[in-house]
């Protein structure tokens, strides 16, 4: 049984230059693990609480010194020298110590940093790769995920020049990560050339590395993605499919979807999404409706059934109770899994288990604020995610994950790709 010898945290910066939390956990055996936590901007309202200092004179209030102090003080005092039976036991103790339903007291950022640092330390103690340890938490058979890679961005990730947030490419005909990345590179290069020709723009990128020219509207954004695939000499809908993160919560106000100059009711939004599906090779629609528009989600799910995944991000917030509700109401059929939305590995595993039990697909996702830590690649592999969603291929905090997938692929003989594409 591992015992925690020492916990140590510090404030580091994420890919947007904002503070986040890194923790190191040392076990009695000497095994040691360090982990950094990501942070979102297009956040769901039901997410666990990311603790920020709120001191406007430092990082505009976004400092994480309080979360760090919570690890170096209270959490360390409670856990160091203690034997911890397993991950679930650690995560339960962290939640109990926090004592709130949203992890608002100690901070979900502090709690998650400890949860993952412990996982890494135990994996090292057991001399197994991190993905193997993660697989053990869920009883899953490791498998490398298919990639979904940001090509074009709008919404909160790109200053809102177009309301929908991301158009992603899915290299469906690839047989391994290595091949998938080479195909994505070709499309990304073609898209860069297209931006220059059509918009007179060099490759200015959004938070997750997607290209962000001034698209006329959402349709143009999706249509340009198809053109980029063709310019790369690949076949849309055969070699490369599309996924869309509509992130509709962020343009929903007063009961309506404000899609550029248009004002759509829920059924109008669903009709629009259906029209996109008729025209473009879209295999996944994330947050096609707003997080609280529960009444309309079953209709969207029905419309998409058999054609594209109804993927819930803000809707579900990796929250077991919300997933349960969505299963019962037939509101979605795929989970976007972001561990920091719920705050511990054990709760994220529970979310994954619920989704799988309902026959859903699982997309393991990074955040817009990421670090160079690569644990997400191990998580997506260990939990046999159908897809991984990391962002684009031009920024090191994204590449840390892709490069880790390449490393896992090269060193371990694992199957690739899920059943859901
Ligand atoms: P984030 O959004 O900015 O909250 O990480 C990513 C997403 O919507 O999938
Ligand atoms: Zn999203």
């Amino acid at each position: 049984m591992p015992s925690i010898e020492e916990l140590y945290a510090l404030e580091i910066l994420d890919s947007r230059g904002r503070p986040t939390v890194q923790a190191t956990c040392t076990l009695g055996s000497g095994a040691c693990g360090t982990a950094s936590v990501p942070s979102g901007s297009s956040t769901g309202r039901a997410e666990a609480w990311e603790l920020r200092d709120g001191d406007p004179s430092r990082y505009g209030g976004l400092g994480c010194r309080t979360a760090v102090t919570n690890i170096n003080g209270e959490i360390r005092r409670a856990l160091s020298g203690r034997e911890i039976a397993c991950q679930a036991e650690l995560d339960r103790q962290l939640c109990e110590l926090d004592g709130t339903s949203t992890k608002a007291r100690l901070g979900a950022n502090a709690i998650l940093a400890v949860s993952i640092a412990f996982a890494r330390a135990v994996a090292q103690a057991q001399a197994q790769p991190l993905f193997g340890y993660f697989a053990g938490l869920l009883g899953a058979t490791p498998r490398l995920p298919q990639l979904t890679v940001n090509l074009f961005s709008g919404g909160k990730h790109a200053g809102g020049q177009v309301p929908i947030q991301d158009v992603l490419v899915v290299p469906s005909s690839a047989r391994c990560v290595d091949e998938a990345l080479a195909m994505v590179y070709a499309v990304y290069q073609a898209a860069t050339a297209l931006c220059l020709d059509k918009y007179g723009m060099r490759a200015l990128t959004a938070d997750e590395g997607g290209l962000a020219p001034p698209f006329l509207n959402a349709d143009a954004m999706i249509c340009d993605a198809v053109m980029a695939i063709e310019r790369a000499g690949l076949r849309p809908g055969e070699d490369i499919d599309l996924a869309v993160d509509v992130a509709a919560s962020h343009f929903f106000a007063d009961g309506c979807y404000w899609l550029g100059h248009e004002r759509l009711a829920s059924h109008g939004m669903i009709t629009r999404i259906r029209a996109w599906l008729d025209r473009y090779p879209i295999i996944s629609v994330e947050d096609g409706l707003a997080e609280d528009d529960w009444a309309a989600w079953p209709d969207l799910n029905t419309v998409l059934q058999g054609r594209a995944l109804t993927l819930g991000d803000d809707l579900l917030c990796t929250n077991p109770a919300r997933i349960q509700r969505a299963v019962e109401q037939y509101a979605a059929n795929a989970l976007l899994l972001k561990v920091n939305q719920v705050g511990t590995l054990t709760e994220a595993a529970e979310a994954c288990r619920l989704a799988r039990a309902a026959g859903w697909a699982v997309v393991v996702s990074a955040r817009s604020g990421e670090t160079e830590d690569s644990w997400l690649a191990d998580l997506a592999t260990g939990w046999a995610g159908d897809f991984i969603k990391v962002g684009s291929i031009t920024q090191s905090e994204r590449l840390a994950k892709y490069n880790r997938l390449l490393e896992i692929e090269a060193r371990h003989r694992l199957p690739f790709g899920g059943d859901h594409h």
Side-chain angles (χ1 to χ4, degrees), residues 27 31 117-134:
L27 303 179
F118 175 81
R120 245 202 193 117
V122 176
Q124 190 193 87
Q126 297 173 347
Q128 60 169 333
L130 188 56
F131 71 81
Y133 174 81
F134 285 145

Side-chain angles (χ1 to χ4, degrees), residues 42 157 165-166 245-247 250 286-287 311-314 336 338 341 365 389:
S42 170
H157 289 169
Q165 188 172 283
D166 297 293
D245 184 358
V246 181
H250 304 285
E286 178 178 337
D287 283 349
L311 177 59
D313 174 12
D314 294 351
L336 193 83
K338 291 169 165 169
Q341 282 181 329
S365 175
K389 182 186 175 210

Side-chain angles (χ1 to χ4, degrees), residues 183-248:
M183 289 169 71
V184 169
Y185 177 84
V187 179
Y188 196 87
Q189 292 306 310
T192 306
L194 184 143
C195 287
L196 193 59
D197 293 353
K198 191 166 171 185
Y199 299 98
M201 262 190 76
R202 296 202 172 275
L204 295 179
T205 59
D207 279 351
E208 297 182 348
L211 298 161
F215 302 108
L216 201 57
N217 52 37
D219 265 83
M221 185 179 182
I222 308 172
C223 186
D224 282 352
V226 174
M227 281 178 59
I229 296 167
E230 283 166 350
R231 272 178 87 142
L234 294 161
R235 296 164 300 174
E238 286 176 62
D239 296 317
I240 307 258
D241 290 303
L242 297 178
V244 179
D245 184 358
V246 181

Side-chain angles (χ1 to χ4, degrees), residues 140 158 236 330:
Y330 187 69

Side-chain angles (χ1 to χ4, degrees), residues 62-108:
L62 295 173
C64 289
R65 281 181 173 169
T66 319
V68 164
T69 302
N70 288 343
I71 297 176
N72 289 336
E74 192 175 339
I75 297 177
R76 178 164 169 263
R77 279 196 301 278
L79 295 178
S80 59
R82 295 274 295 276
E83 296 209 325
I84 308 283
C86 59
Q87 187 75 43
E89 171 64 15
L90 173 83
D91 292 343
R92 191 183 58 74
Q93 287 198 25
L94 287 167
C95 291
E96 278 180 15
L97 191 63
D98 173 76
T100 70
S101 61
T102 55
K103 303 183 176 60
R105 199 177 71 79
L106 296 172

Side-chain angles (χ1 to χ4, degrees), residues 18 35 46 59 77 96 131 180 184 190 195 201 209 215 224 231 240 260 280 283 285 299-300 306 354 367 396 399 415:
R18 295 186 197 170
Y59 290 111
R77 279 196 301 278
E96 278 180 15
F131 71 81
V184 169
C195 287
M201 262 190 76
F215 302 108
D224 282 352
R231 272 178 87 142
I240 307 258
Y280 309 112
I283 60 159
V285 178
D299 292 340
L300 175 66
L354 276 173
R367 304 305 305 252
S396 292
L399 293 166

